[in-house]
Amino acid sequence: MRYFIIEEDKAAGYTGSIDGTHKWGLPGVFRCPTCQSTWGDNSRAYPSVDLTPVASLADFEEVRAEPIEEYERLCALVRPLLPPDALPEPGMSLGPLVGRATGRFGALSSPWPWWLLLQREALEKLQAEGVRGLKGCPHQLHFHQRQPPELLELEFLDAGRLHPDCLPPDRKPPCARCGRERRTLPKSRLLDASTIPVHLDLFRLVDFSTVIVCTERFVDACQRLSLDGVAFHALPVR
């Protein structure tokens, strides 16, 4: 099985643009007492999560950093609402996309490397082809056009890691308290074969949440169905 990274196809000529964020999110961490880092990362998102059962919704609406004790308290409130095996972390995005959208969108669209949206018809065709791990989530985007596209945002499970051979040999382990890893996405990437999920055709890397990976089964289905809007770049496996 071959694997690929999904990115926007700039040569496709689509003008679709999204100015929005997910409705809720966990705060970042302010000055972790263990590693002294202030950080948050909103590239890991679970758009299916509904936080309305949580009493203090306002605590999840403002982008900010909090002392780690407050982050841990809020994380404990949302953890029961997350998908199984979700990986909560500071700054994580939750709920539907909210904002504005305009322009023409392809069958698939990746306005940011860690987002992937599909036209509903494209999603249904891929599901009919037996592509595994497709979970489309509704958005709350406002379109400035009479007949807006029916887009759904894909929610990804976290699986797979890059192979240690493409990472710096002197990299430090993650912080024992806040979980931060000081890492830079390498230009030359290798997928660690021992970490690849066997039940998914799309997934988000555990160690680099900005990278979405798909199988050749997904690529073949998109090409066979003439679904455009994104490009696929081979990801070697070791």
Side-chain angles (χ1 to χ4, degrees):
M1 178 71 73
R2 294 188 299 159
Y3 294 84
F4 298 82
I5 293 175
I6 302 175
E7 294 180 347
E8 179 187 11
D9 184 3
K10 298 184 183 298
Y14 290 104
T15 60
S17 175
I18 293 176
D19 179 14
T21 60
H22 291 88
K23 192 168 187 176
W24 303 296
L26 285 174
V29 166
F30 178 75
R31 201 171 296 169
C32 170
T34 299
C35 68
Q36 304 303 310
S37 297
T38 296
W39 72 286
D41 182 359
N42 67 354
S43 60
R44 180 168 280 114
Y46 299 103
S48 71
V49 172
D50 180 9
L51 289 191
T52 53
V54 179
S56 53
L57 270 182
D59 290 337
F60 303 94
E61 295 173 349
E62 180 186 352
V63 177
R64 66 197 189 283
E66 294 279 7
I68 195 164
E69 294 81 6
E70 177 64 2
Y71 162 76
E72 291 171 340
R73 182 185 74 84
L74 295 176
C75 187
L77 292 177
V78 305
R79 192 181 293 272
L81 303 174
L82 298 178
D85 301 323
L87 299 177
E89 68 177 8
M92 181 180 69
S93 297
L94 301 166
L97 277 172
V98 178
R100 300 178 180 179
T102 186
R104 294 174 52 250
F105 289 83
L108 294 85
S109 178
S110 182
W112 297 98
W114 49 92
W115 290 359
L116 183 61
L117 294 92
L118 281 74
Q119 304 265 6
R120 180 179 292 277
E121 182 180 4
L123 177 62
E124 292 173 350
K125 287 181 177 180
L126 288 169
Q127 289 173 330
E129 289 285 320
V131 176
R132 303 163 303 174
L134 298 181
K135 183 177 182 179
C137 303
H139 58 75
Q140 295 180 7
L141 297 170
H142 176 69
F143 284 82
H144 295 278
Q145 53 206 78
R146 290 185 178 180
Q147 296 182 328
E150 192 174 1
L151 294 177
L152 295 168
E153 182 184 4
L154 284 187
E155 180 171 274
F156 298 95
L157 295 179
D158 304 287
R161 293 178 179 270
L162 292 187
H163 196 281
D165 287 353
C166 71
L167 301 173
D170 58 347
R171 63 189 183 280
K172 296 181 180 179
C175 173
R177 183 69 188 274
C178 72
R180 184 181 185 187
E181 293 187 60
R182 297 181 183 274
R183 59 190 181 223
T184 301
L185 184 63
K187 292 183 178 179
S188 298
R189 303 161 196 171
L190 291 170
L191 187 60
D192 188 339
S194 67
T195 68
I196 295 174
V198 298
H199 61 295
L200 299 173
D201 286 315
L202 292 100
F203 53 93
R204 186 191 310 278
L205 292 185
V206 172
D207 49 353
F208 290 95
S209 57
T210 58
V211 179
I212 298 170
V213 177
C214 69
T215 65
E216 63 180 318
R217 184 183 294 107
F218 179 82
V219 176
D220 290 345
C222 287
Q223 293 175 344
R224 188 165 55 252
L225 295 167
S226 298
L227 303 180
D228 59 0
V230 297
F232 303 102
H233 305 283
L235 179 60
V237 179
R238 181 179 299 171

